[in-house]
Amino acid sequence: MHSLALNEIIGYVIICFGIMFDFFGVLGLVRLPDVYNRLQAATKCVTFGSAGILIGVLVYSGFTPTGFKAILCTVFILLTSPVSAHAIAKAAHNSGIKMAQETVVDHYLDDQNEKPKEDK
Amino acid sequence: MKLENKSRIVVFILSCLVWFLITLKFSLASIVAGLIFSFITALFAGEILIITERKFHLGRVIYTIGYIIKLFWEMLKANFNVAYIVIHPKLPVKPGIVRVKTNLKRDSALTMLANSITLTPGTLTVDIDKEKSILYIHWIDVKSKELEPATRDIGSRFEKLLEEVFE
């Protein structure tokens, strides 16, 4: 039977942790009440989970072309995921999607309602 | 040398580096293709990387490393926080959008602050009002609705480090 090298074992363990965090992110997408809370789960867990999977790939394959691609993808995911979450949240809010019933405060809406009055 | 061209040269070197790291092939065709594409990238999108002239000093590098360590730690906490909320049978959420004040002025610093806030536990940047220097943060578990306590809880974690790195 093929026995695993140390770096392969560590790589598999990290990939499993990444998949676990991704699973929590997906569970959050299903369970949380509105689009903003779902985005929270999506950005956090999926960022770390996907980055974890990529780091696992890096450990597994070493400094080969695959490994370097994994590093670059990690950096790009960490840079772009918050930006896209911000864009989706802002677009959702501006197009008037209501927040969940549990919401306690929405200063953003308050300030936007004030703005047209100031213009007049 | 003009600042735009300086920025283009930096972009050219960076894209060459990325190309060679991705391919790891050193045949003539690969090297020539890499140089050509890096040149095209630098020509069309090169001038946006460096906008202002600043001197290099060691302190900023140390603060950058400190910022990355801090960000990694906060991301780890954020993941466990969301995992806890999601697994909890009652879903302990108390969401809301609060205002947070910031002292940062530069675009790059504000962008990094907004990104860092999104990656830290329970917070998500919705919008930035640059004139009033206010960030609108969606907070999954609102602890205080007022400006000052929210700023202390959310913004101040990264603001000092980012001030040293970018300003």
Side-chain angles (χ1 to χ4, degrees):
Chain A
M1 196 185 139
H2 167 70
S3 66
L4 292 167
L6 184 63
N7 69 324
E8 291 181 340
I9 296 172
I10 297 174
Y12 278 133
V13 170
I14 298 176
I15 291 175
C16 287
F17 267 102
I19 291 172
M20 196 180 79
F21 280 121
D22 265 351
F23 171 73
F24 288 138
V26 173
L27 199 63
L29 272 181
V30 177
R31 285 200 68 196
L32 289 170
D34 66 352
V35 60
Y36 309 98
N37 292 315
R38 288 176 175 172
L39 271 176
Q40 294 251 11
T43 41
K44 286 176 189 93
C45 283
V46 172
T47 302
F48 209 70
S50 313
I53 292 172
L54 287 166
I55 298 289
V57 170
L58 169 68
V59 174
Y60 180 84
S61 62
F63 289 102
T64 54
T66 318
F68 281 119
K69 273 171 204 153
I71 298 178
L72 285 171
C73 289
T74 314
V75 173
F76 285 132
I77 285 183
L78 288 185
L79 283 177
T80 53
S81 155
V83 177
S84 55
H86 152 72
I88 295 171
K90 192 179 171 185
H93 202 285
N94 285 356
S95 55
I97 292 176
K98 289 212 174 59
M99 300 180 73
Q101 286 184 338
E102 294 94 333
T103 305
V104 285
V105 63
D106 189 353
H107 283 311
Y108 188 43
L109 190 67
D110 301 343
D111 282 9
Q112 276 189 332
N113 288 340
E114 273 170 29
K115 257 183 194 166
K117 286 173 198 164
E118 284 170 13
D119 289 345
K120 283 169 195 170
Chain B
M1 197 196 300
K2 268 169 72 183
L3 201 61
E4 277 181 15
N5 291 333
K6 222 175 185 176
S7 169
R8 284 209 172 91
I9 289 171
V10 174
V11 169
F12 179 72
I13 293 168
L14 278 178
S15 2
C16 280
L17 199 69
V18 169
W19 175 273
F20 290 124
L21 284 181
I22 285 181
T23 55
L24 278 192
K25 253 189 280 174
F26 294 101
S27 64
L28 186 66
S30 159
I31 292 174
V32 170
L35 290 179
I36 289 173
F37 286 122
S38 305
F39 183 74
I40 294 173
T41 313
L43 200 64
F44 284 108
E47 75 271 15
I48 57 168
L49 186 66
I50 302 172
I51 304 170
T52 49
E53 194 126 20
R54 275 180 302 168
K55 288 215 172 65
F56 174 86
H57 63 86
L58 194 67
R60 189 174 293 147
V61 176
I62 294 169
Y63 276 111
T64 309
I65 294 169
Y67 163 72
I68 290 171
I69 292 169
K70 174 98 177 147
L71 181 65
F72 188 80
W73 173 241
E74 293 289 338
M75 268 164 51
L76 198 67
K77 276 202 302 196
N79 276 277
F80 281 105
N81 180 28
V82 169
Y84 167 75
I85 289 176
V86 166
I87 293 174
H88 200 285
K90 279 181 194 157
L91 282 180
V93 292
K94 198 176 138 197
I97 296 182
V98 295
R99 302 188 192 95
V100 165
K101 207 168 170 48
T102 175
N103 297 320
L104 302 172
K105 291 277 178 292
R106 301 174 74 95
D107 282 350
S108 50
L110 277 173
T111 311
M112 287 314 285
L113 180 68
N115 276 6
S116 313
I117 284 173
T118 300
L119 289 175
T120 51
T123 50
L124 177 90
T125 313
V126 177
D127 201 1
I128 297 179
D129 191 334
K130 221 188 144 194
E131 284 157 22
K132 295 185 206 156
S133 58
I134 281 177
L135 299 163
Y136 294 96
I137 311 284
H138 180 267
W139 204 354
I140 203 167
D141 183 21
V142 176
K143 294 198 182 74
S144 57
K145 299 174 190 174
E146 299 310 313
L147 182 68
E148 271 85 34
T151 307
R152 220 181 315 115
D153 276 6
I154 298 173
S156 58
R157 278 187 282 209
F158 289 106
E159 204 159 321
K160 284 221 175 69
L161 282 169
L162 282 171
E163 218 166 350
E164 296 291 340
V165 175
F166 283 101
E167 306 266 332

